[in-house]
Amino acid sequence: DAGVTQSPTHLIKTRGQQVTLRCSPKSGHDTVSWYQQALGQGPQFIFQYYEEEERQRGNFPDRFSGHQFPNYSSELNVNALLLGDSALYLCASSHGGAETQYFGPGTRLLVL
Amino acid sequence: SQQGEEDPQALSIQEGENATMNCSYKTSINNLQWYRQNSGRGLVHLILIRSNEREKHSGRLRVTLDTSKKSSSLLITASRAADTASYFCATDGKGDNYGQNFVFGPGTRLSVLP
């Protein structure tokens, strides 16, 4: 039973570019959440998707957008990249209202 | 701003010793969870304690919750080198209908020396 998977594992972009990160949830899970983790900090909640709709959103600008597909996989898009967007981006999945989220290994984004 | 704040920021102990980490939070919660993260990779769920529980055990882990003080502690007994990681507490805000918007603290970096 595959856990949460994310792609790519690493990514290097330059300021102003756009990036798309992908996440496949754990089998049987229908809810996907995205987090940004800066170096030495705890994860910060970006947003959560359920039934292909954004259900909750953290304190992130509109440059951060997402999508959930009918198979429950999800994408995180970041436009007009800034140096400060360099971080580990974590995807977590859960089933409906389950309390525990299962995290993927993350995508490390470096913006130069 | 982050809800949870772990203390200490870093902890270094010898193998076999116990490690205690604390977490404080600001608002009412439904539950509090502890996660482990190895070398900047994905987080691994360790244990969940609900707001109406005071103590919970899982193997070598013991978690306590004091809602009057808005604090929790994680005790790892008989530590091993493999316990070396960052530990985070995450709170699930009360009144949140979906209960999935976790707020993480900055974490405690634990080093267990052989």
Side-chain angles (χ1 to χ4, degrees), chain B residues 2-6 23-26 89 91 103-107:
Chain B
Q2 290 181 323
Q3 163 89 305
E5 293 284 339
E6 291 90 348
C23 169
S24 59
Y25 57 92
K26 296 175 183 174
C89 68
T91 54
V103 181
F104 286 85

Side-chain angles (χ1 to χ4, degrees), chain A residues 9-10 31 33 35 37 40-45 48 55-58 88 90 94 96-106 108, chain B residues 1-2 30-31 33 35 37 39-45 48 50 86 88 92 96-107 109:
Chain A
T9 56
H10 294 83
T31 303
S33 300
Y35 293 83
Q37 185 179 23
Q41 300 296 314
Q44 298 288 302
F45 175 74
Q48 182 183 83
R55 186 159 75 173
Q56 287 188 350
R57 189 179 183 91
L88 179 68
L90 294 163
S94 59
E99 294 163 318
T100 299
Q101 295 184 1
Y102 293 82
F103 283 79
R108 189 164 295 283
Chain B
S1 61
Q2 290 181 323
N30 287 321
N31 60 62
Q33 305 189 47
Y35 284 82
Q37 184 178 41
S39 301
R41 301 300 290 170
L43 278 72
V44 175
H45 180 259
L48 177 152
R50 293 189 173 81
S86 291
F88 297 91
D92 170 16
D96 183 339
N97 291 334
Y98 304 111
Q100 296 294 299
N101 180 2
F102 288 178
V103 181
F104 286 85
R109 293 186 306 280

Side-chain angles (χ1 to χ4, degrees), chain B:
Chain B
S1 61
Q2 290 181 323
Q3 163 89 305
E5 293 284 339
E6 291 90 348
D7 168 55
Q9 291 185 346
L11 180 61
S12 186
I13 59 174
Q14 294 294 130
E15 220 169 9
E17 293 181 337
N18 295 341
T20 300
M21 288 158 270
N22 303 297
C23 169
S24 59
Y25 57 92
K26 296 175 183 174
T27 63
S28 297
I29 60 172
N30 287 321
N31 60 62
L32 184 146
Q33 305 189 47
W34 285 90
Y35 284 82
R36 185 187 74 221
Q37 184 178 41
N38 292 85
S39 301
R41 301 300 290 170
L43 278 72
V44 175
H45 180 259
L46 295 177
I47 196 166
L48 177 152
I49 187 165
R50 293 189 173 81
S51 59
N52 61 352
E53 297 176 313
R54 292 297 167 257
E55 187 171 313
K56 207 159 182 181
H57 297 256
S58 176
R60 294 184 296 113
L61 306 179
R62 171 177 166 254
V63 169
T64 62
L65 179 65
D66 187 334
T67 53
S68 67
K69 295 181 180 178
K70 293 186 170 58
S71 67
S72 172
S73 67
L74 170 66
L75 168 67
I76 304 174
T77 60
S79 63
R80 307 165 181 168
D83 294 328
T84 295
S86 291
Y87 291 81
F88 297 91
C89 68
T91 54
D92 170 16
K94 202 164 192 173
D96 183 339
N97 291 334
Y98 304 111
Q100 296 294 299
N101 180 2
F102 288 178
V103 181
F104 286 85
T108 292
R109 293 186 306 280
L110 174 65
S111 297
V112 181
L113 307 175

Side-chain angles (χ1 to χ4, degrees), chain A residues 8-56:
Chain A
T9 56
H10 294 83
L11 203 52
I12 299 175
K13 292 286 187 177
T14 56
R15 280 180 299 175
Q17 284 189 312
Q18 179 264 344
V19 68
T20 297
L21 310 182
R22 296 176 176 81
C23 171
S24 290
K26 184 177 169 64
S27 178
H29 287 183
D30 55 12
T31 303
V32 173
S33 300
W34 287 92
Y35 293 83
Q36 179 194 67
Q37 185 179 23
L39 198 62
Q41 300 296 314
Q44 298 288 302
F45 175 74
I46 302 175
F47 42 53
Q48 182 183 83
Y49 277 85
Y50 172 70
E51 292 188 342
E52 302 179 52
E53 303 245 341
E54 183 183 291
R55 186 159 75 173
Q56 287 188 350

